[in-house]
Amino acid sequence: MITNLKHSITLIFLFFITNLATAQNKILVFQSDFGLKDGAVSAMKGVAIGVSPDLKIFDLTHEIPAYNIWEAAYRLVQTVPYYPAGTVFVSVVDPGVGTTRKSVVLKTKTGQFIVTPDNGTLTLVAQSLGIEEVREINEVKNRRKDSEKSYTFHGRDVYAFTGARLASGAISYDQVGNELPKQVAEIPYQKATLENGKLKGSIAILDVQFGNIWTDIPADLVKQLNPQYGAVLHVQIFHKDKKVYEGDAPYSQTFGAVAEGKPLSYLNSLLQLSFALNQANFAAVHHIASGNEWSVEVTLRKGK
């Protein structure tokens, strides 16, 4: 009986330590649409350091286009999986600041935490990594001191402050606020499918430095279509269901497989179907953008 009691106590202790550790690795990652031209980002970091100078602070990006919730959602799902459990992300792309949208902290099933307005920013992370729990930030307890009269900089006064307290272990996840249902506000978009030999998906993002078109169509769906290298994919691109581009792109392993300036299709670094012009800017040449209103349809040219 004593042995069983000791065993139970050991299990409880290990459970406690494991769960405590996932909220206390002291890593804090910031994302925003603020840019770096003024002091907004620095102010958020200052608040975080004021909570705990031991925090390890990183930037995801601060170059999200203004108010672009979709791109904020994509950059999170592109990045969050590469950080260890217990990492806290603060994402502030908040066109509804000061309105009734909820301020939340989502815990993924892989153990990362995301502090953000619940305005669609969590769409892709929730679908990809899963929702372990969602809590609404108690803005009475988890708000920078003497900031109650400020309604337009929740990134500094609420999100950076709460994120820093959570990452540093000053509060536990339970102390963030009340638990909410395991659901978040979602942005509608064309999910990746393969039906009757046609791949469909969204233009998730642009490879901004080079203008390549990155879709959300994963390698396993491409494999089911079964193109061999050199086979020609027929591509149609739509904006709000209006066709804006149609063309052919050889399925290639490298950009150099086609002549300079010519189109190709390939799997990008995230193993998703993408389109490019070799040493040219596909998006600029063909006036293509990204987001939930942009979609693609792809078929395999027969006999090519």
Side-chain angles (χ1 to χ4, degrees):
M1 189 172 183
I2 294 175
T3 301
N4 289 339
L5 180 60
K6 287 181 178 179
H7 180 68
S8 298
I9 292 172
T10 300
L11 289 177
I12 292 169
F13 177 75
L14 289 174
F15 177 82
F16 174 78
I17 291 298
T18 299
N19 283 273
L20 185 64
T22 60
Q24 289 184 313
N25 71 8
K26 300 187 186 302
I27 300 174
L28 185 63
V29 184
F30 282 105
Q31 168 176 276
S32 76
D33 58 352
F34 297 161
L36 297 173
K37 295 182 177 68
D38 65 13
V41 171
S42 187
M44 290 197 300
K45 291 180 179 180
V47 168
I49 292 296
V51 170
S52 172
D54 296 327
L55 287 170
K56 293 165 281 189
I57 297 177
F58 301 92
D59 293 310
L60 195 163
T61 181
H62 296 290
E63 300 303 326
I64 300 292
Y67 316 122
N68 193 324
I69 296 169
W70 172 267
E71 187 158 328
Y74 183 85
R75 295 305 179 196
L76 283 174
V77 80
Q78 181 186 24
T79 307
V80 169
Y82 297 99
Y83 278 80
T87 300
V88 176
F89 290 79
V90 173
S91 179
V92 190
V93 178
D94 192 14
V97 61
T99 66
T100 57
R101 91 285 177 269
K102 288 183 171 65
S103 298
V104 301
V105 182
L106 179 145
K107 182 180 181 181
T108 69
K109 287 187 177 294
T110 49
Q112 299 90 351
F113 299 86
I114 303 165
V115 183
T116 186
D118 184 23
N119 58 8
T121 298
L122 294 166
T123 299
L124 301 178
V125 161
Q127 292 174 4
S128 177
L129 302 182
I131 301 174
E132 180 68 26
E133 200 171 331
V134 182
R135 289 186 174 272
E136 183 172 8
I137 297 173
N138 183 327
E139 295 186 14
V140 175
K141 296 180 179 178
N142 293 307
R143 186 183 182 112
R144 188 176 64 86
K145 185 180 178 182
D146 298 327
S147 67
E148 293 79 9
K149 294 182 179 180
S150 174
Y151 300 101
T152 60
F153 200 175
H154 285 179
R156 175 194 64 194
D157 299 332
V158 178
Y159 301 135
F161 183 70
T162 301
R165 297 185 81 202
L166 183 61
S168 67
I171 59 170
S172 67
Y173 184 45
D174 291 351
Q175 291 173 307
V176 164
N178 291 333
E179 186 174 356
L180 298 173
K182 293 181 182 181
Q183 60 191 44
V184 293
E186 293 194 355
I187 303 170
Y189 69 99
Q190 172 64 59
K191 295 181 175 66
T193 63
L194 173 60
E195 296 179 2
N196 301 318
K198 180 182 289 186
L199 287 167
K200 292 184 178 181
S202 66
I203 299 180
I205 207 74
L206 301 180
D207 184 2
V208 291
Q209 183 69 14
F210 302 103
N212 303 334
I213 308 298
W214 285 16
T215 78
D216 66 341
I217 301 172
D220 60 345
L221 283 186
V222 176
K223 185 177 181 180
Q224 291 179 45
L225 189 65
N226 196 32
Q228 304 301 306
Y229 289 127
V232 175
L233 297 184
H234 185 68
V235 184
Q236 298 180 83
I237 297 177
F238 301 85
H239 181 233
K240 296 181 178 179
D241 298 322
K242 179 182 178 181
K243 189 192 303 183
V244 296
Y245 172 83
E246 184 169 5
D248 291 336
Y251 185 58
S252 306
Q253 192 170 22
T254 64
F255 295 104
V258 302
E260 186 173 331
K262 295 297 183 181
L264 67 139
S265 53
Y266 67 103
L267 294 179
N268 66 19
S269 59
L270 300 178
L271 299 181
Q272 294 169 321
L273 186 62
S274 301
F275 308 101
L277 299 178
N278 184 21
Q279 298 183 52
N281 189 312
F282 192 115
V285 169
H286 296 294
H287 309 290
I288 307 299
S290 64
N292 63 306
E293 295 178 341
W294 289 83
S295 61
V296 297
E297 295 183 1
V298 181
T299 54
L300 181 61
R301 284 283 198 193
K302 301 298 183 181
K304 294 287 185 178

